[in-house]
Amino acid sequence: MSELDAHLLIVDDDERIRELLKKFLMRHGFLVTAARDAAHARRVLSGLDFDLIVMDVMMPGEDGITLTAALRQTSNTPILLLTAKGDTEHRIQGLEAGADDYLSKPFEPKELLLRINAILRRMPEAPTEVATPKILHLGPIRYDIEKGEMWQGDQPVRLTATESQLMRIFSSCPGEPVSRTRLVEDLGRDRGQAQERAVDVQITRLRRKIESDPKQPRYLQTVRGAGYMLAPD
């Protein structure tokens, strides 16, 4: 496993910590998707595979230890737990649930990075022949994340270069809103309202290709005050 091509899932209900970790790990070469709680993580995991999960223990609703135990029923994906409670009892509970490592808050980001890399180095390479394509389903539309291809039935849906970039951005974090500012930045555009309006136009064009009713989008949704979100089946 090469650390630089690993896809990580960050699960934390604290938006500030979630975004800080995401930016830090992306700067160190990882592809990162974030989830705000266990329920959100379950939806993301239903459509994507990850090389490692970094998960907070103390979350509203289902906690990290319970989710770890549930994931271990069907998945061997490495899990690193984070918690503000660093006592022996919680450390043992996390490891018994199936976590691969445990880090107490507060922690130095560099220590997290070292632990992630150590876990990934222990993971065997997945045989190429058993690798499965990662597909998102948008009604009758299929989007192959790895190939960047979109299909309707056996007919390819042709995407412009910008539309392809947008799909790659959205498919990296399904079910998570992406701000117009971030879309502008990830598309390599200069900041400003004019560029945000240009992104709106591109979103409208992309909706025409994936929505049965572009004026009432089901799959590429507008999230008021937050941006746009891809919501696959």
Side-chain angles (χ1 to χ4, degrees), residues 61-120:
E62 185 177 15
D63 63 43
I65 292 176
T66 304
L67 179 57
T68 296
L71 293 177
R72 279 292 168 263
Q73 301 299 314
T74 57
S75 171
N76 291 320
T77 302
I79 298 174
L80 172 61
L81 291 178
L82 307 175
T83 184
K85 294 185 177 181
D87 56 49
T88 302
E89 179 184 355
H90 283 87
R91 184 177 297 114
I92 291 174
Q93 286 179 353
L95 295 175
E96 287 181 340
D100 295 81
D101 203 351
Y102 193 101
L103 188 58
S104 299
K105 297 178 179 179
F107 55 84
E108 289 293 330
K110 186 175 181 180
E111 181 179 3
L112 174 64
L113 182 64
L114 290 172
R115 293 195 183 213
I116 288 173
N117 286 336
I119 293 172
L120 292 175

Side-chain angles (χ1 to χ4, degrees), residues 1-129:
M1 167 65 65
S2 169
E3 293 90 347
L4 295 181
D5 60 9
H7 191 178
L8 310 184
L9 174 62
I10 306 297
V11 189
D12 198 306
D13 63 300
D14 187 318
E15 183 178 5
R16 183 183 64 85
I17 292 176
R18 194 167 65 236
E19 289 304 313
L20 285 173
L21 289 180
K22 186 173 182 178
K23 291 178 180 178
F24 173 77
L25 293 169
M26 288 178 68
R27 285 202 302 271
H28 284 83
F30 295 102
L31 176 61
V32 183
T33 297
R36 58 186 172 272
D37 55 26
H40 187 191
R42 285 179 179 275
R43 292 195 297 273
V44 173
L45 287 163
S46 69
L48 292 173
D49 294 325
F50 293 90
D51 298 297
L52 186 143
I53 301 170
V54 179
M55 180 156 49
D56 188 28
V57 168
M58 304 300 289
M59 296 185 291
E62 185 177 15
D63 63 43
I65 292 176
T66 304
L67 179 57
T68 296
L71 293 177
R72 279 292 168 263
Q73 301 299 314
T74 57
S75 171
N76 291 320
T77 302
I79 298 174
L80 172 61
L81 291 178
L82 307 175
T83 184
K85 294 185 177 181
D87 56 49
T88 302
E89 179 184 355
H90 283 87
R91 184 177 297 114
I92 291 174
Q93 286 179 353
L95 295 175
E96 287 181 340
D100 295 81
D101 203 351
Y102 193 101
L103 188 58
S104 299
K105 297 178 179 179
F107 55 84
E108 289 293 330
K110 186 175 181 180
E111 181 179 3
L112 174 64
L113 182 64
L114 290 172
R115 293 195 183 213
I116 288 173
N117 286 336
I119 293 172
L120 292 175
R121 283 194 295 271
R122 297 198 298 264
M123 295 301 295
E125 290 284 351
T128 302
E129 62 271 18

